[in-house]
Amino acid sequence: MTQLNIIINRPKCIAAGNCIETAPETFALDERSKAIVTNPEGNDDDTIIEAARSCPTDAITIIDAETGEQIWPEE
Ligand code: SF4
């Protein structure tokens, strides 16, 4: 399992909920209806990356913590 850094650009989050639907053990909405990471290892890597891809505003950035490579959004 890769160590992923998950960064949420909160101003970009529109509370669409796609990330939570896809990876409910990793993401949640806080009381301000902005996504937060509840557990960076809550779902497997592919599911977390899929959740980031499902965000309509690209508010979730995923970085490989070992290499520093940005996995999503693709650069
Ligand atoms: S999918 Fe994107 S816009 Fe929707 S809750 Fe998650 S971070 Fe926010």
Side-chain angles (χ1 to χ4, degrees):
M1 192 177 206
T2 318
Q3 184 69 40
L4 301 179
N5 277 345
I6 307 167
I7 302 154
I8 298 176
N9 184 338
R10 285 168 57 90
K12 279 177 98 174
C13 175
I14 56 167
N18 306 28
C19 60
I20 296 148
E21 227 168 86
T22 306
E25 306 304 324
T26 303
F27 298 98
L29 286 181
D30 70 6
E31 68 283 353
R32 296 173 65 196
S33 293
K34 298 285 185 181
I36 53 170
V37 175
T38 53
N39 178 1
E41 296 176 6
N43 296 93
D44 62 50
D45 293 352
D46 287 347
T47 303
I48 292 171
I49 293 164
E50 182 61 35
R53 295 172 79 108
S54 75
C55 176
T57 62
D58 282 347
I60 302 171
T61 299
I62 307 279
I63 293 176
D64 183 322
E66 274 171 30
T67 66
E69 181 200 349
Q70 183 168 312
I71 298 170
W72 185 261
E74 284 165 356
E75 292 180 297

